[in-house]
Amino acid sequence: MTNLADDALIALDNLGDRAASLVNPTIRLGVTGLSRAGKTVFISSLVHNLLNGGRLPLFEPMRSGRISRVRLEPQPDDAVPRFQYEDHVRALVGERVWPDSTRAISQLRITLDYESASGWGRLWSPGRLSVDVIDYPGEWLLDLPLLAQDFRTFSETTIALAQTGIRRVLSAEWFSAMALSDARAPADEADARRLAQAFTAYLKACKSDERSLSTLPPGRFLMPGDLEGSPALTFAPLPKLPEGRAPKGSLWAMMERRYEAYKAHVVKPFFREHFARLDRQIVLIDALQAVNRGAEAVQDLERALGDVMACFRPGANGFLSSFLTRRIDRVVVAATKADHLHHESHPHLEALTRRLVDRAINRIGLSGAGVEVMALASVRATREATVKQDGTTLPVIVGTPIAGECIDGETFDGKRKTAIFPGDLPENPDSFFQAIESNSEEPLAPTLNFVRFRPPEMEAPGGELRLAIPHIRLDRAMQYLIGDRLA
């Protein structure tokens, strides 16, 4: 995906990082996820619980009392925006609203002073580890495979996918726009803009809550930022390109040049300056939303996971080799919003997610070494209870649905707590995927009631925000991702 010049720059960056880490031990943790999976909430809860002594029984260094001090410190990369942790916690705790989704890359450094778990380690000075948390949109990660595709391959792959399932309906206007264009005709800015707008509208329709599809490169078309309106974001795939090279001055040549500019000025810098410098990674997915939307959304999530996992190179870093190259040696794939199900269904959610990951990994020919799968809730928005109905005791969850959420014709106002029977996921993931592959029109989980809840009420004395945030298995993720570096 890179050339010799890129490799040289990556090696220089890694050399600088490793040299600095000899003086101040540091681990770079990437946090990403597919649409609405809760990246911002995960980071906010992780940092807040570390800073304020939250309940983290599965995080061994905290449980054993070996961590003596936790603090935020200035981040090392001055050109990267700071993750606005304080604002996000204020939204969660003070206003009981979910913070805004990740729209760009950001960074935060949290430093832990600890005592080594080994007798030999305690003979030296007290340990210190800085964790640089790198937050970036999952759409950017899904762009990395573009580095290995030329414009022809990108066009063929994207158009073929757009002709499958519900995408065929969602892409109808874009296909109509393509039918009016001739790739060999002279380049015309108005034509290029018309095609790019139709293509972007198709991607947005795929991402909408009603569809929840996941494989949607190029990612910056959905979150353009300061690149909006630039030539690097004003291109689109072209159908049935003839053999040979694009005629000079043609629409084809214009689109090809802009596609290559997108890779050179958007995708490569992200890979070189951020992704290639990561040590550990967590990928958050909203598997429940995909299940709710049906077989096609689940299949698309599996496809996206395959593309994501193909970007990683899990494996151990050698001491000498790590100064020039870097491998992401531990990856967590976490299904979020486990609090939307009763705990009896958590193993089913985890099993389904593990099977999704295994299928995705097998499809791209990799092994699952160094990949951990779990179900978690970064912020637990519900509590569990039981209700009796028609002589049957049902396990329910109790929380405050977000205003406008609906179940069985009832619309919630965002103020009233409600007990909901969430239903259950299939116990056997094999039967679940067999139902998907059989193209059955039956719902995948016919009794699943899924609504979004407001953050829980968390009373803080004196209006302070120094309280633990409830969660589900956040500590398990922390132990896997950084626990070994605090041994």
Side-chain angles (χ1 to χ4, degrees):
M1 293 195 295
T2 57
N3 55 33
L4 290 176
D6 294 323
D7 291 340
L9 290 172
I10 291 170
L12 285 174
D13 289 338
N14 282 329
L15 189 61
D17 288 343
R18 293 311 192 198
S21 193
L22 292 176
V23 178
N24 181 27
T26 303
I27 186 170
R28 291 176 66 88
L29 171 63
V31 180
T32 196
L34 305 181
S35 181
R36 296 178 179 84
K39 300 176 289 296
T40 303
V41 175
F42 174 85
I43 298 172
S44 301
S45 181
L46 181 150
V47 172
H48 195 71
N49 277 297
L50 282 174
L51 288 174
N52 297 286
R55 293 186 67 254
L56 303 168
L58 296 182
F59 186 46
E60 189 277 331
M62 186 73 79
R63 184 189 69 230
S64 62
R66 294 193 295 106
I67 294 179
S68 58
R69 184 186 177 200
V70 183
R71 60 196 180 278
L72 293 175
E73 291 192 324
Q75 64 192 66
D77 300 317
D78 292 334
V80 179
R82 182 180 183 273
F83 180 84
Q84 297 301 323
Y85 156 75
E86 296 83 0
D87 294 343
H88 298 322
V89 168
R90 191 172 296 109
L92 282 168
V93 177
E95 303 170 29
R96 291 186 64 201
V97 297
W98 299 110
D100 292 336
S101 301
T102 299
R103 305 294 296 177
I105 197 163
S106 63
Q107 186 182 71
L108 191 72
R109 168 170 282 191
I110 185 166
T111 297
L112 301 88
D113 294 335
Y114 68 98
E115 182 182 73
S116 175
S118 70
W120 284 107
R122 287 193 292 270
L123 292 177
W124 303 92
S125 60
R128 181 178 64 182
L129 178 69
S130 293
V131 182
D132 291 339
V133 182
I134 316 299
D135 174 34
Y136 64 94
E139 287 83 357
W140 294 17
L141 183 59
L142 289 171
D143 272 355
L144 293 184
L146 299 181
L147 293 176
Q149 299 177 12
D150 60 15
F151 180 70
R152 182 188 299 275
T153 304
F154 162 70
S155 293
E156 291 173 350
T157 302
T158 305
I159 290 172
L161 181 60
Q163 292 174 313
T164 63
I166 190 61
R167 288 175 182 262
R168 181 185 295 274
V169 177
L170 301 178
S171 63
E173 291 189 13
W174 170 41
F175 272 74
S176 295
M178 284 193 291
L180 299 176
S181 299
D182 180 359
R184 290 180 171 272
D188 179 76
E189 185 63 37
D191 199 20
R193 190 163 57 249
R194 178 177 59 84
L195 287 170
Q197 289 172 348
F199 178 53
T200 303
Y202 153 70
L203 294 176
K204 289 180 178 178
C206 291
K207 187 182 179 180
S208 68
D209 283 345
E210 292 77 16
R211 302 303 176 191
S212 299
L213 300 179
S214 304
T215 309
L216 303 169
R220 291 294 183 94
F221 279 51
L222 295 170
M223 45 183 65
D226 56 3
L227 290 174
E228 187 166 10
S230 68
L233 264 64
T234 311
F235 68 89
L238 293 176
K240 301 178 181 178
L241 294 175
E243 294 298 324
R245 302 181 63 179
K248 186 176 180 180
S250 65
L251 177 66
W252 176 5
M254 172 193 275
M255 294 296 199
E256 188 171 59
R257 184 178 66 253
R258 292 180 174 185
Y259 171 74
E260 293 299 330
Y262 181 84
K263 294 197 298 180
H265 300 298
V266 176
V267 185
K268 276 191 177 182
F270 165 67
F271 177 80
R272 185 181 66 240
E273 297 167 13
H274 304 291
F275 185 79
R277 298 170 61 195
L278 297 177
D279 299 300
R280 305 281 167 88
Q281 176 71 53
I282 182 166
V283 180
L284 305 171
I285 64 172
D286 190 351
L288 288 178
Q289 179 83 325
V291 170
N292 238 22
R293 294 295 176 259
E296 191 166 350
V298 174
Q299 290 173 318
D300 204 66
L301 176 58
E302 180 184 321
R303 183 186 301 110
L305 275 173
D307 292 342
V308 165
M309 300 310 295
C311 298
F312 301 132
R313 293 181 296 170
N317 285 296
F319 177 75
L320 293 178
S321 64
S322 68
F323 280 87
L324 297 178
T325 60
R326 187 178 299 191
R327 299 178 73 91
I328 297 176
D329 56 358
R330 292 194 178 188
V331 177
V332 170
V333 178
T336 57
K337 304 178 184 177
D339 58 329
H340 288 44
L341 295 171
H342 194 272
H343 76 272
E344 294 175 354
S345 291
H346 291 180
H348 305 164
L349 176 59
E350 191 163 303
L352 186 151
T353 305
R354 185 176 301 279
R355 188 56 55 87
L356 264 175
V357 173
D358 288 345
R359 286 165 59 98
I361 288 176
N362 290 337
R363 181 169 61 84
I364 60 176
L366 294 179
S367 73
V371 179
E372 181 75 0
V373 176
M374 61 185 69
L376 59 78
S378 306
V379 174
R380 183 169 190 164
T382 66
R383 61 179 176 84
E384 295 185 353
T386 57
V387 297
K388 287 190 176 181
Q389 181 176 328
D390 299 328
T392 302
T393 300
L394 296 176
V396 298
I397 55 175
V398 180
T400 306
I402 291 175
E405 291 290 291
C406 299
I407 288 183
D408 295 333
E410 179 181 4
T411 301
F412 299 101
D413 60 7
K415 299 177 181 178
R416 179 170 56 89
K417 285 187 177 180
T418 305
I420 295 174
F421 174 61
D424 197 4
L425 292 172
E427 293 186 27
N428 184 357
D430 288 334
S431 62
F432 180 86
F433 286 101
Q434 286 169 4
I436 290 177
E437 291 166 357
S438 68
N439 295 318
S440 171
E441 295 184 1
E442 293 296 321
L444 296 176
T447 61
L448 192 64
N449 292 314
F450 174 70
V451 298
R452 297 174 299 165
F453 292 91
R454 293 183 64 189
E457 293 180 284
M458 293 178 277
E459 296 182 3
E464 295 184 0
L465 301 181
R466 299 181 180 278
L467 74 170
I469 293 178
H471 63 85
I472 298 174
R473 299 183 194 90
L474 177 68
D475 48 347
R476 179 180 159 193
M478 293 166 61
Q479 177 64 26
Y480 184 78
L481 289 167
I482 64 173
D484 62 312
R485 295 292 297 271
L486 296 165

